[in-house]
Amino acid sequence: QLMRAVRWLTEVQGETGLYGEETGNTTLYNHGIATYAMAEALVLSPEEAELRESVARAVSLILRARNPYTVWRYSLEPNGDNDTSVTSWMVLALRAAYDAGVDVPADVFRDAEDWLDTMTDARGRCGYNMESGAGSRPPRPRVRLESHPPEQTESLTAAALFCRMLMPAAAGLEQWQDHPKVGIMSKHAKLLRACLPRWTEDGSSCDFYYWYMGTMAASEWGGKTWKLWRPAVEAALVGQQRRGEDAGALRGGQEVGLGTDP
């Protein structure tokens, strides 16, 4: 099944290195997540030459889309627009590619960490973009502000914590207390503990983007953050898993799992 998925992604990769087609604002999200998956596959299968070539081309596109001395947003061509959400997926993809032996310039991670520092306020909350400001809540379309309150998620803070764990500064550490950014990372973790996963029938608290980033970050951070997070996310997800004939159906016909962006 995994090799079929790898083969399919290879087949839909275009001449520019892009996985799939251009889809507007979701293009780099799609590409970053696909690159992340393919790079992780390459870590497990380093001798697969076709896979390596595909990941290298995908990484080249990500590097071309990066804004000089900063990070990423929606555009395939650098235009000076940046946000934390797209950037987090690019960091995950590039770190996986780096682990697989694909060339990734060191300044990419340095500039990404500088961006996270810029967007993080004194409380440890990481914001979205320069327009919304440091410590801003995750954005929502106006029509979703009431149904999916941004106050019920810390998705960007979770992404920031997980990304900081993947930066070169974390290499070789035996404990997070030795990390040069441990102070701000501890604040990130505190915010996650104060906003644990919680399933609601109307979907207002269900943010799968947050739960994914938060689970990855909390499991790596460990300690009381993981002790609190794990049972909460298990209750939210395992307890609500659809089984049998209605597997895959949305509970009650409601849309749940709102992403960070419109």
Side-chain angles (χ1 to χ4, degrees), residues 24-46:
N25 289 356
T26 60
T27 299
L28 281 179
Y29 275 109
N30 295 340
H31 181 75
I33 294 170
T35 304
Y36 181 28
M38 292 287 273
E40 290 284 8
L42 182 59
V43 170
L44 298 175
S45 304

Side-chain angles (χ1 to χ4, degrees), residues 113-125:
E113 183 139 29
D114 287 346
W115 171 263
L116 296 178
D117 288 345
T118 299
M119 297 310 301
T120 301
D121 65 11
R123 298 166 296 182
R125 178 168 292 124

Side-chain angles (χ1 to χ4, degrees), residues 241-249:
Q241 184 177 6
R242 307 298 289 175
R243 298 179 181 275
E245 294 180 359
D246 60 352

Side-chain angles (χ1 to χ4, degrees), residues 6-22:
V6 167
R7 192 176 304 114
W8 185 83
L9 283 169
T10 303
E11 290 172 354
V12 300
Q13 187 176 31
E15 294 182 0
T16 64
L18 180 69
Y19 290 117
E21 301 177 355
E22 291 190 38

Side-chain angles (χ1 to χ4, degrees), residues 174-203:
E174 296 185 359
Q175 56 181 2
W176 294 119
Q177 285 81 355
D178 296 331
H179 196 288
K181 302 280 186 176
V182 64
I184 197 63
M185 293 168 73
S186 296
K187 292 181 179 180
H188 289 332
K190 182 178 180 180
L191 289 171
L192 267 59
R193 294 195 299 271
C195 187
L196 298 173
R198 179 175 59 89
W199 187 279
T200 49
E201 291 297 320
D202 63 2

Side-chain angles (χ1 to χ4, degrees), residues 44-246:
L44 298 175
S45 304
E47 303 305 320
E48 293 286 342
E50 185 178 6
L51 176 56
R52 180 169 297 278
E53 190 272 340
S54 176
V55 173
R57 291 172 58 212
V59 166
S60 292
L61 183 140
I62 291 175
L63 296 178
R64 292 195 303 272
R66 173 176 164 241
N67 290 303
Y69 309 110
T70 47
V71 286
W72 297 264
R73 201 178 187 195
Y74 302 140
S75 178
L76 285 168
E77 299 296 328
N79 64 358
D81 202 9
N82 308 282
D83 78 47
T84 301
S85 183
V86 175
T87 294
S88 65
W89 288 109
M90 296 307 174
V91 170
L92 268 58
L94 292 175
R95 177 53 197 261
Y98 175 83
D99 289 343
V102 177
D103 184 37
V104 179
D107 65 324
V108 170
F109 297 112
R110 184 188 64 238
D111 291 345
E113 183 139 29
D114 287 346
W115 171 263
L116 296 178
D117 288 345
T118 299
M119 297 310 301
T120 301
D121 65 11
R123 298 166 296 182
R125 178 168 292 124
C126 187
Y128 179 57
N129 62 9
M130 294 300 290
E131 182 179 359
S132 58
S136 57
R137 290 286 188 174
R140 290 285 189 264
R142 290 183 180 179
V143 296
R144 294 290 183 86
L145 285 173
E146 184 174 346
S147 64
H148 290 80
E151 293 77 16
Q152 295 196 34
T153 181
E154 292 285 358
S155 57
L156 299 179
T157 301
L161 177 56
F162 188 36
C163 285
R164 290 185 191 276
M165 293 173 171
L166 302 178
M167 302 293 186
L173 294 180
E174 296 185 359
Q175 56 181 2
W176 294 119
Q177 285 81 355
D178 296 331
H179 196 288
K181 302 280 186 176
V182 64
I184 197 63
M185 293 168 73
S186 296
K187 292 181 179 180
H188 289 332
K190 182 178 180 180
L191 289 171
L192 267 59
R193 294 195 299 271
C195 187
L196 298 173
R198 179 175 59 89
W199 187 279
T200 49
E201 291 297 320
D202 63 2
S204 60
S205 66
C206 302
D207 187 339
F208 295 152
Y209 187 138
Y210 173 41
W211 295 356
Y212 173 79
M213 290 292 188
T215 299
M216 299 299 284
S219 62
E220 290 291 332
W221 187 253
K224 61 182 178 182
T225 301
W226 182 232
K227 288 180 180 178
L228 291 171
W229 184 278
R230 178 176 176 175
V233 76
E234 286 180 349
L237 292 177
V238 178
Q240 302 299 327
Q241 184 177 6
R242 307 298 289 175
R243 298 179 181 275
E245 294 180 359
D246 60 352

